[in-house]
Amino acid sequence: MRYLTAGESHGPQLTTIIEGLPAGMPLVAEDINTELARRQKGYGRGRRMEIEKDMVEITSGVRHGQTLGSPIALVVKNNDWKHWTKIMGIEPLQEVEEEEIKRKVTRARPGHADLNGALKYGHRDMRNVLERSSARETTVRVAAGSVAKKLLSLVGVEVVAHVVEIGGKKANPLHHLSFKEIKEQAEASPVRCIDSNAEKAMIAAIDEAKKNGDSIGGVVEVIATGMPTGVGSYVHYDRKLDAKLAAAIVSINAFKGVEFGIGFEAARKPGSEVHDEIVWDDEWGYSRKTNRLGGFEGGMTTGMPIIVRGVMKPIPTLYKPLMSVDIETKEPFAASIERSDSCAVPAAAVVAENVVAWELANALVEQFYSDRFDTFVKEINEQREFAREF
């Protein structure tokens, strides 16, 4: 499978086109709108989320609640477009109109795509960069991911994300919680944290950052259960599923690092405390005593829960802006201020959950017959039985 996204932050709409989904899979708009609503929540979000109420329109590839096997087009309208029709209009401007247009951006924000994008494409107005590099684009990445989550749910794979750190305030590991409890508690928390004490500290840290005109980042964890054993490949570097997940996580706006299982802690431990011993029983077949490697060995799934974490830096748009340079005058100035969040980590957890779901669904579609959904499900179940009896 693959998907492309199109659209600017303050343009008329955001669009994604999905190709390669099996025919005959149940899909309705509500499957997608539920995830879009989750992305808009989270303590620390800015005023944009008060303006936009994201709802999807499925414009092709689905008929009477089932996928057709042809490309699926999803559209999400930008409600704020009505205030930007001149600034972000498609048609050329008259000379007199150019003088009237405000919000030209010539002061690059440190940490953002502004200056590098302007240098790459030759844009003198860096709004041409920031409109596309904006995290608003993740709206339709979540839309695509929600379709993947639907597919996964129908073959017994579940995915959930929660926040483990914001602004240096860390959640205590709660290993005794079930997948269902993690999902319920994360959903109920304004910062998507399953540790109530850490939740309070995180909220206080966000409030402090907002008061200071600053921003803070954090760490999110995604857990996936139910993946069949042996999905991915050791044969070629670009078929390793954990590598694809790592790329997907770091592709999210402001994400700068990724780890699986015990992650970087493995560098400080001997091998006997890193690798997972293999066991077997009649009911489940092969499994592992522990899950320190986060569900992967040799670029392939082990059948254990997949555990991947991503590090999100603080958002670079600050209400107390850092110093920069005006590209027109070359003089030092405080960087431009765009409407922004003081912390987007809780919302980014939902994005991470959906990009992970996409990669897992794509790996299944690549490995098993996927023209027809019923045959696709049958082959996955046969692989599970094969692995259990092997």
Side-chain angles (χ1 to χ4, degrees):
M1 297 194 300
R2 63 174 180 166
Y3 71 93
L4 292 174
T5 72
E8 284 72 47
S9 180
H10 296 96
Q13 67 184 45
L14 298 162
T15 306
T16 186
I17 297 178
I18 301 169
E19 183 181 52
L21 206 68
M25 188 190 89
L27 183 67
V28 295
E30 189 55 32
D31 296 323
I32 302 165
N33 288 333
T34 298
E35 294 299 315
L36 293 180
R38 293 177 67 232
R39 176 194 165 276
Q40 291 195 276
K41 297 176 183 176
Y43 199 80
R45 300 306 305 273
R47 287 197 306 112
R48 182 73 188 270
M49 294 305 100
E50 298 172 11
I51 298 170
E52 305 294 350
K53 300 299 178 189
D54 294 334
M55 301 287 283
V56 76
E57 181 183 359
I58 304 174
T59 60
S60 71
V62 178
R63 183 169 184 249
H64 301 159
Q66 290 203 326
T67 57
L68 301 177
S70 52
I72 295 172
L74 308 176
V75 172
V76 177
K77 302 288 188 183
N78 282 328
N79 290 336
D80 208 15
W81 158 247
K82 58 182 174 286
H83 300 123
W84 292 75
T85 53
K86 274 279 200 235
I87 298 169
M88 292 299 297
I90 305 299
E91 297 301 318
L93 291 171
Q94 301 296 323
E95 189 172 332
V96 65
E97 290 178 312
E98 284 188 26
E99 295 176 1
E100 293 175 357
I101 294 297
K102 298 179 181 178
R103 301 193 183 182
K104 183 177 180 180
V105 178
T106 59
R107 301 174 187 177
R109 293 165 294 174
H112 212 285
D114 300 351
L115 181 57
N116 293 335
L119 290 169
K120 178 177 175 66
Y121 291 109
H123 294 308
R124 301 306 300 179
D125 180 356
M126 288 182 289
R127 179 161 299 286
N128 292 338
V129 179
L130 69 88
E131 283 288 333
R132 178 58 183 170
S133 64
S134 165
R136 178 72 182 146
E137 185 265 354
T138 63
T139 304
V140 280
R141 294 191 70 186
V142 167
S146 67
V147 175
K149 280 188 73 176
K150 177 70 173 185
L151 180 148
L152 293 174
S153 70
L154 295 171
V155 294
V157 179
E158 294 187 280
V159 188
V160 69
H162 63 110
V163 172
V164 296
E165 183 176 346
I166 288 179
K169 309 303 180 184
K170 298 182 180 180
N172 290 314
L174 300 175
H175 299 302
H176 63 282
L177 292 181
S178 67
F179 182 94
K180 183 173 182 288
E181 289 170 327
I182 292 172
K183 188 173 183 178
E184 288 175 350
Q185 291 185 30
E187 212 62 40
S189 168
V191 289
R192 306 198 67 79
C193 179
I194 60 178
D195 178 348
S196 58
N197 291 325
E199 174 190 290
K200 295 171 186 173
M202 291 174 183
I203 289 173
I206 293 170
D207 289 341
E208 183 68 15
K210 186 174 183 179
K211 185 178 75 173
N212 294 332
D214 218 328
S215 62
I216 52 176
V219 180
V220 306
E221 179 176 271
V222 184
I223 305 168
T225 64
M227 279 293 286
T229 305
V231 179
S233 180
Y234 65 91
V235 174
H236 288 295
Y237 71 92
D238 58 346
R239 296 180 189 170
K240 295 187 176 191
L241 182 51
D242 51 357
K244 292 181 178 181
L245 288 178
I249 290 290
V250 178
S251 75
I252 303 169
N253 305 54
F255 273 66
K256 304 299 287 184
V258 62
E259 64 179 10
F260 295 86
I262 63 171
F264 291 104
E265 186 63 25
R268 295 179 282 274
K269 292 180 177 290
S272 59
E273 296 178 18
V274 172
H275 302 291
D276 304 306
E277 292 184 321
I278 300 171
V279 295
W280 184 90
D281 64 41
D282 285 326
E283 183 179 2
W284 300 105
Y286 299 98
S287 62
R288 306 297 189 277
K289 279 187 178 180
T290 54
N291 192 27
R292 298 165 181 148
L293 297 182
F296 285 101
E297 289 173 353
M300 299 167 291
T301 54
T302 64
M304 299 294 286
I306 292 169
I307 300 174
V308 54
R309 283 180 291 278
V311 178
M312 184 183 191
K313 68 175 182 177
I315 288 173
T317 298
L318 307 175
Y319 287 101
K320 185 175 65 178
L322 298 174
M323 292 303 294
S324 183
V325 174
D326 190 304
I327 64 171
E328 293 294 337
T329 66
K330 307 301 186 289
E331 294 180 3
F333 282 99
S336 296
I337 298 174
E338 294 287 321
R339 184 172 51 208
S340 184
D341 308 330
S342 54
C343 179
V345 176
V350 177
V351 179
E353 182 180 312
N354 279 275
V355 300
V356 166
W358 176 269
E359 293 302 330
L360 297 182
N362 187 42
L364 292 175
V365 167
E366 285 184 352
Q367 191 153 323
F368 300 98
Y369 176 87
S370 58
D371 283 350
R372 285 172 35 197
F373 189 69
D374 57 347
T375 308
F376 174 70
V377 174
K378 181 174 177 286
E379 286 204 1
I380 289 175
N381 289 334
E382 287 175 351
Q383 168 63 18
R384 288 192 174 113
E385 188 64 20
F386 171 80
R388 190 183 71 80
E389 295 180 349
F390 187 77

